[in-house]
Amino acid sequence: MNKLSAVTTDVATVKLLIDGEFVASKTNEWRDVVNPATQAVLARVPFATTNEVNAAVAAAKEAFKSWRKTPIGTRARIFLKYQQLIREHMGELAALLTAEQGKTLPDAEGDVFRGLEVVEHAAAIGNLQLGELANNVATGVDTYTLLQPLGVCAGITPFNFPAMIPLWMFPMAIATGNTFVLKPSEQDPMVTMRLVELALEAGIPKGVLNVVHGGEDVVNAICDHADIKAVSFVGSTRVGTHVYHRASQSGKRVQCMMGAKNHAVVLPDANKEQTLNALAGAAFGAAGQRCMAASTAVLVGEAQSWIPELVAKARTLKVNAGTEVGTDVGPLISCGARERVEGLIASGVAQGATLELDGRSPNVPGFENGNFVGPTIFSNVKPGMRIYDEEIFGPVLVILSADSLDEAIDLVNANPNGNGTAVFTQSGAAARRFQEDIDVGQVGINVPIPVPVPLFSFTGSRASKLGDLGPYGKQVVMFYTQTKTVTQRWFDDDTLHVGVNTTITLK
């Protein structure tokens, strides 16, 4: 865990946010925030105490009393201001993200931007949090629904998108009238905290947004706390499954977006150059550390002959620190992540897959201590091999073969994960058949990473998702609200009152 004792150091310490104040934790457990390209220690992050978690939840519970009654227009204007502040600080946010996470600067800006889109969506909450009305359902009787906030909600976010995922969570929760406790990844919390500072500057009142840091103990405290009504999680399948069951057992609403094995099916009629570019970008971008990475290609028929050209394209990608101009593939988040990816590559060789391109131990002058793995490609991969069965979460593309579209669809559907998939073809009929028969929540047609914009909802499925409702879009408004149905009748003083009615019908 790379925890440290509380010792005097020149490195900055990351603060907690409790009841509108950034406060130093009183914990004795800390973790270094490390630049993955250099191993330089950037900051120390605390593992919050139980009392600190309880204080954050208590502040959120108290703030909910007034925030839930704040006019919807007031809430919307805060997020209008917030999106403006994020735009103004885009360069600063991207630089912070690159330093602690390792992404290239353009990819870091993309991370922030995709979160910004959800903030913009939150600013339209007046159009999203609408109920329904039926007039005169019986004589003089109207029925209508209200979408009311739940109370204190919480979010647990991963290391791979330290800007986007927090912005998926707390803006929509707060815009719908809830208060929020956020637990960012302990590996790269600095850009998240800067976004939180900007949120307060935009006008979020004290106690409405709170932040605690930590590991498993803090996660469990969030899952168990009686005053937290809903928990949103994005991360690994192992932790997500734990969060879902533990939080559900304590009566919370839970949504967990988890691991994946996303297949890109390539038909021989696809545009070769566009498809090869898409595969290389989707497999190796962000060093493969995306839950929506196209980590698995299924080449159908004659498309299997494209492997040498795909390897040649992957060789042109530049491996370097994310701060360096022209970098395509930055470092993995940690030494442990690099060792795990290298171990899975070794297992692929041992289990008989063909290593077409080996990205282990790349030469990166000036950054010899970085957590680098270059683009790696395996062919002749089959189910049962670890490199297929496990999510590698690194710049590794595994290639399987199929003789027909039907065989490719059966292969994808047999995999337990269902986060995303894509098909590359110039046949409308083939594309339509694929989208109809594929059992995966998010489908791209000539689009390698089919993450929807916030007008729609993120809809991963099967083993990639636990919980019925996804983050952002229309579904998340339902997740963060409860429906209250009101049936009303009013009588004028001179109205002839109806008599006693002993049935359940309205007349």
Side-chain angles (χ1 to χ4, degrees), residues 68 131-132 143-149 253 478 481-487:
R68 69 188 301 269
E132 298 173 316
T143 297
Y144 56 92
T145 60
L146 308 172
L147 299 183
Q148 296 187 320
R253 288 189 184 179
M478 301 306 298
T481 62
Q482 54 191 347
T483 301
K484 181 180 289 183
T485 303
V486 180
T487 301

Side-chain angles (χ1 to χ4, degrees), residues 351-491:
Q351 291 184 311
T354 302
L355 184 57
E356 302 279 356
L357 179 61
D358 189 350
R360 290 173 290 185
S361 303
N363 180 30
V364 186
F367 297 95
E368 288 78 10
N369 294 324
N371 307 318
F372 295 101
V373 176
T376 299
I377 298 176
F378 279 100
S379 64
N380 296 316
V381 177
K382 294 178 171 52
M385 294 180 177
R386 286 187 62 203
I387 55 173
Y388 178 74
D389 292 349
E390 297 183 28
E391 184 176 28
I392 299 174
F393 227 60
V396 181
L397 176 65
V398 301
I399 300 175
L400 293 84
S401 300
D403 292 331
S404 66
L405 176 59
D406 286 340
E407 184 181 338
I409 290 172
D410 289 343
L411 178 63
V412 176
N413 287 345
N415 190 281
N417 295 290
N419 222 21
T421 188
V423 64
F424 292 88
T425 181
Q426 296 187 75
S427 167
R432 192 174 192 283
R433 185 147 129 237
F434 185 85
Q435 76 174 36
E436 287 292 314
D437 293 346
I438 209 73
D439 185 18
V440 175
Q442 297 172 122
V443 178
I445 298 173
N446 298 315
V447 174
I449 302 179
V451 178
V453 296
L455 295 174
F456 299 87
S457 299
F458 189 97
T459 54
S461 61
R462 294 195 281 152
S464 295
K465 175 184 177 183
L466 288 172
D468 295 330
L469 300 171
Y472 70 76
K474 295 179 181 178
Q475 289 188 11
V476 86
V477 175
M478 301 306 298
F479 179 76
Y480 284 126
T481 62
Q482 54 191 347
T483 301
K484 181 180 289 183
T485 303
V486 180
T487 301
Q488 67 174 14
R489 169 183 274 164
W490 295 99
F491 298 100

Side-chain angles (χ1 to χ4, degrees), residues 135-422:
N135 185 241
N136 281 328
V137 296
T139 304
V141 178
D142 304 324
T143 297
Y144 56 92
T145 60
L146 308 172
L147 299 183
Q148 296 187 320
L150 302 175
V152 181
C153 300
I156 301 164
T157 64
F159 75 83
N160 58 329
F161 285 95
M164 182 183 77
I165 303 298
L167 292 177
W168 279 11
M169 293 183 185
F170 74 79
M172 291 304 298
I174 290 172
T176 50
N178 300 283
T179 55
F180 206 80
V181 176
L182 175 66
K183 194 213 83 69
S185 170
E186 65 276 16
Q187 297 189 75
D188 49 8
M190 294 165 60
V191 69
T192 309
M193 294 307 295
R194 185 68 182 116
L195 285 166
V196 167
E197 291 173 358
L198 294 176
L200 298 190
E201 185 178 338
I204 291 180
K206 74 172 187 174
V208 172
L209 175 61
N210 303 270
V211 183
V212 293
H213 304 285
E216 182 179 357
D217 291 344
V218 173
V219 168
N220 288 340
I222 288 171
C223 292
D224 295 344
H225 204 293
D227 289 331
I228 293 177
K229 305 303 181 184
V231 175
S232 181
F233 171 89
V234 176
S236 71
T237 296
R238 180 186 64 81
V239 179
T241 302
H242 170 79
V243 167
Y244 182 80
H245 291 295
R246 187 154 185 158
S248 297
Q249 287 172 0
S250 62
K252 296 172 176 51
R253 288 189 184 179
V254 192
Q255 57 175 205
C256 292
M257 307 297 120
M258 306 183 298
K261 199 71 176 180
N262 306 310
H263 297 70
V265 175
V266 181
L267 300 185
D269 71 333
N271 182 293
K272 182 185 289 188
E273 184 65 18
Q274 291 177 353
T275 300
L276 293 177
N277 285 335
L279 287 177
F284 306 126
Q289 297 175 123
R290 295 171 174 153
C291 67
M292 286 293 291
S295 61
T296 306
V298 182
L299 305 186
V300 178
E302 295 177 5
Q304 295 166 31
S305 66
W306 298 4
I307 293 175
E309 293 160 281
L310 178 58
V311 171
K313 192 169 290 289
R315 288 186 189 277
T316 68
L317 299 180
K318 181 179 178 181
V319 180
N320 210 331
T323 53
E324 301 302 298
V325 176
T327 297
D328 298 299
V329 181
L332 296 172
I333 186 66
S334 67
C335 295
R338 173 179 54 78
E339 291 166 0
R340 179 180 179 276
V341 170
E342 290 175 342
L344 281 164
I345 294 172
S347 80
V349 174
Q351 291 184 311
T354 302
L355 184 57
E356 302 279 356
L357 179 61
D358 189 350
R360 290 173 290 185
S361 303
N363 180 30
V364 186
F367 297 95
E368 288 78 10
N369 294 324
N371 307 318
F372 295 101
V373 176
T376 299
I377 298 176
F378 279 100
S379 64
N380 296 316
V381 177
K382 294 178 171 52
M385 294 180 177
R386 286 187 62 203
I387 55 173
Y388 178 74
D389 292 349
E390 297 183 28
E391 184 176 28
I392 299 174
F393 227 60
V396 181
L397 176 65
V398 301
I399 300 175
L400 293 84
S401 300
D403 292 331
S404 66
L405 176 59
D406 286 340
E407 184 181 338
I409 290 172
D410 289 343
L411 178 63
V412 176
N413 287 345
N415 190 281
N417 295 290
N419 222 21
T421 188

